[in-house]
């Protein structure tokens, strides 16, 4: 469903992604790990369509469409969702009002009937209990004054509301306590299906205990330098990334 | 003959024709206007608002035009059926189409109030705003005083229904110049909600120079809303001057959505201890609209609180001006005065000039001020769009979110819904 070929991207003339190749098929869960600053969030942002980054080469195909040609909202319409590493605070806009607009605009994009107030409320209640989020949080200004964990939980809630085909979770586990990680993972697993896929960016094996990946990739200095099965994550937990530097030096 | 000469002649003529109790005030104001004239561009308070250009064309002087047809009704505010409605047409109060329905609310021609039971109040307070605005424009208004109104709120009464004040200009017979004037007296322990709005009839240049003075006595409470969404050819100088003579509460919200050149003067003179006042404002402009908010907070006594927060959204080649003066006199210890002005520029050709001006002569006070001018938050925009919200809707959600804390200050529900609607229409949602 997602095919990234030799993707190069950067900002202000500085290249950050230096030739990414990655294929994700329906039903799969991929994990990307890698040291700080290696380009994980940049990859996620480029996929979601953040315009600060300039794509200088390569291609991305998402469900048969040229993803890089689409506006961010069209990517969401097509079924892409990015849970931000740093969710943005928007004073004056509640999550509920935001989601009312988002859900219906995505439905319009997908050629579905828009939800009326009652239907929306029903959907919201269902997803609220799925990710165990408090209604109070959803009526407050979006992410404003939320704790780190509350922000991440809100991202998972929004993901559940929008029912994406491909969810990219950028360090959604950071800042979450153990119970919250379990709930977040349950949220992800609840929307998992043969048709959907997940890309998890994380530093910790812990999340992968709950969202078990089919593939684990190591991103380093703008490239995927190692891929493997779920055991690679365990290995990294043991040894850290020091091996990378050695390998890279030899190469 | 120049416009200014015509205006002066008219003022003279009115004075001669109406030998009423207000004549000395009129004469003094005309003398002041003769001396001060129209503020020139170099006048510090009018630097960005070039009021003199409005005097380069001829107007009919509204006082002769007492139209009473129903056209003004298109400007009616929501729930008018239960409100008190005071209608000024071309600056002249029109009792025939006005309705005063609340017990405890007194509405009189100003010249009558000046000689009856309210004579003391009128002589003490009429023209007090002139002490703060020595610029000719204020004097010009006082040199007419025709069809001016006195509004009294009786002691210990909570006026049940809001008082809607419509400042209508009818330009169907040509350009029109109007000068509405009101003096409001809110007696001790009384409460009132007032809403002012503006409307122009006909395709012409409309120029309104309006002054309202409000005297707020001990333990009185005033909520005051001003909603401006006038035509592209309607200019307005609107002065609202509060004088808190006893410990009292004033909550003022100014919403400016359209007009040609709009200048709001909002003064809060706090002459008693423990006064509390809020001044909120939102201007959302586009095209070539110009909105200038000049505010003055004058703290004469200790233990007062003023809280001022203005926000602006400027699109097209529109201009916003904010000037907030806070005076803290020597005796006004332990006062709190907060001021903030935040702006979002939506286009490269929009401009905003913002200036706080604090003059503090007491040493134990808490004052803060801040202003920001920025663009729409790109991070926020991307965040919303990444969830499937179109760029246009995302912008409108963000702007609405920016405006909401001012809108929420409108405590009169029907009015808040109405203003919210106007803003949503502007945002295209
Ligand atoms: N907007 C930007 N402006 C300048 N440099 C940037 C920008 N975004 C990313 N970079 C740089 O690109 C590199 C990759 O950043 P990125 O955020 O993708 O790393 P990451 O792998 O997600 O790191 P972490 O694990 O800390 O989240 C870093 O060196 C970062 O400083
Ligand atoms: Mg990152």
């Amino acid at each position: 469903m997602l095919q990234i070929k030799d993707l190069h991207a950067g900002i202000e003339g500085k290249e950050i992604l230096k030739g990414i190749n990655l294929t994700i098929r329906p039903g799969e869960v991929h994990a990307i790990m890698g040291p700080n600053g290696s380009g994980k969030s940049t990859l996620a942002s480029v996929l979601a369509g953040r315009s600060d980054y300039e794509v200088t080469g390569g291609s991305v195909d998402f469900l048969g469409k040229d993803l890089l040609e689409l506006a961010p909202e069209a990517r969401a319409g097509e079924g892409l969702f990015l849970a931000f590493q740093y969710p943005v605070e928007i004073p004056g806009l509640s999550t509920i009002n935001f989601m009312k607009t988002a859900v219906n605009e995505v439905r319009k994009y997908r050629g579905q009937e828009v939800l009326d107030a009652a239907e929306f409320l029903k959907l919201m209640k269902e997803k609220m209990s799925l990710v165990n989020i408090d209604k109070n949080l959803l009526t407050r200004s979006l992410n404003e004054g939320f704790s780190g964990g509350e922000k991440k939980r809100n991202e998972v809630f929004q993901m559940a509301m929008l029912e994406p085909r491909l969810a990219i979770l950028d360090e959604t586990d950071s800042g979450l306590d153990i119970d919250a990680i379990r709930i977040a993972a349950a949220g992800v697993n609840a929307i998992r299906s043969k048709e959907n896929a997940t890309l998890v960016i994380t530093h910790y094996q812990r999340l992968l205990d709950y969202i078990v990946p089919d593939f684990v990739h190591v991103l380093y200095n703008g490239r995927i330098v190692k891929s493997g099965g779920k055991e690679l994550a365990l290995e990294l937990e043991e040894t850290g990334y020091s091996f990378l530097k050695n390998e890279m030096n030899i190469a | 003959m120049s416009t200014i000469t015509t205006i002066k002649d008219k003022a003279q003529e009115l004075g001669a024709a109406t030998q009423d109790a207000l004549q000395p005030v009129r004469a003094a104001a005309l003398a002041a206007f003769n001396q001060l004239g129209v503020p020139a561009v170099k006048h510090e308070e009018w630097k960005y608002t070039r009021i003199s250009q409005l005097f380069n064309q001829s107007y009919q002087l509204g006082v002769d035009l007492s139209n009473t047809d129903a056209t003004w009704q298109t400007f009616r505010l929501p729930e008018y059926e239960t409100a008190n409605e005071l209608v000024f047409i071309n600056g002249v109060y029109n009792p025939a189409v006005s309705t005063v329905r609340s017990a405890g609310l007194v509405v009189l021609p100003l010249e009558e109030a000046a000689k009856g039971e309210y004579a003391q109040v009128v002589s003490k307070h009429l023209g007090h705003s002139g002490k703060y605005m020595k610029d000719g424009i204020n004097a010009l208004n006082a040199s007419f005083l025709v069809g001016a109104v006195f509004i009294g709120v009786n002691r210990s009464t909570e006026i049940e229904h809001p008082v809607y004040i419509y400042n209508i200009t009818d330009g169907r017979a040509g350009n029109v110049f109007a000068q509405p004037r009101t003096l409001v007296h809110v007696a001790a322990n009384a409460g009132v909600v007032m809403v002012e709005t503006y409307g122009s009839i006909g395709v012409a240049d409309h120029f309104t120079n309006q002054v309202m003075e409000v005297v707020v006595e001990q333990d009185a409470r005033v909520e005051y809303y001003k909603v401006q969404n006038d035509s592209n050819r309607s200019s307005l100088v609107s002065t609202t001057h509060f004088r808190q003579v006893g410990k009292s509460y004033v909550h003022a919200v100014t919403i400016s959505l359209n007009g040609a050149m709009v200048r709001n003067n909002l003064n809060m003179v706090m002459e008693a201890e423990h006064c509390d006042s809020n001044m909120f404002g939102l201007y959302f402009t586009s095209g070539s609209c110009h909105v200038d908010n000049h505010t003055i907070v004058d703290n004469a006594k200790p233990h007062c609180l003023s809280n001022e927060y203005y926000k602006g959204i400027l699109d097209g080649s529109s201009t916003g001006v904010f000037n907030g003066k806070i005076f803290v006199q020597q005796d006004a210890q332990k006062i709190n005065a907060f001021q903030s002005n935040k702006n979002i520029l939506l286009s490269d050709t929009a401009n905003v000039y913002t200036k706080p001006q604090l003059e503090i002569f007491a040493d134990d006070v808490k004052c803060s001020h801040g202003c920001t001018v920025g663009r729409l938050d790109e991070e926020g925009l991307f965040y919303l769009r990444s969830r499937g919200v179109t760029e246009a809707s995302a912008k409108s959600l963000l702007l609405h979110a920016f405006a909401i804390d001012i809108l929420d200050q409108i405590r009169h529900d029907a009015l808040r819904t109405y203003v919210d609607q106007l803003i949503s229409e502007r945002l295209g949602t």
Side-chain angles (χ1 to χ4, degrees), chain A residues 50-52 84 86-91 93 142-143, chain B residues 343-346 373-385 391 394-399 401-402:
Chain A
R50 185 190 287 268
S51 59
D52 306 358
F84 282 43
Y86 304 109
V88 182
E89 299 188 1
I90 303 187
L93 174 63
L142 188 55
N143 295 325
Chain B
N343 299 279
I344 292 182
L345 296 178
L346 294 178
V373 179
R375 299 260 157 193
L376 205 59
D377 175 24
E378 286 293 328
E379 285 282 310
L381 203 57
F382 174 62
Y383 185 65
L384 302 191
R385 291 178 71 191
E391 187 174 8
K395 276 187 181 161
S396 109
L397 284 177
L398 287 180
L399 291 175
F402 176 76

Side-chain angles (χ1 to χ4, degrees), chain A residues 35-42 44 85-86 170-171 201 203:
Chain A
N36 294 134
S38 56
K40 303 182 296 296
S41 294
T42 302
Q85 180 175 4
Y86 304 109
D170 190 357
E171 298 200 22
I201 297 170
H203 287 292

Side-chain angles (χ1 to χ4, degrees), chain A residues 49-50 72-73 76 81-82 84 90-92 98 102 105-106 143 155 158, chain B residues 377 379-380 382-391 393 397-398 401 404:
Chain A
R50 185 190 287 268
E73 56 269 32
F81 181 91
L82 168 62
F84 282 43
I90 303 187
F98 171 33
E105 294 207 351
V106 162
N143 295 325
E155 293 290 281
Q158 293 179 41
Chain B
D377 175 24
E379 285 282 310
F382 174 62
Y383 185 65
L384 302 191
R385 291 178 71 191
S386 80
R387 304 285 137 103
V389 177
T390 60
E391 187 174 8
S393 310
L397 284 177
L398 287 180
I404 194 89

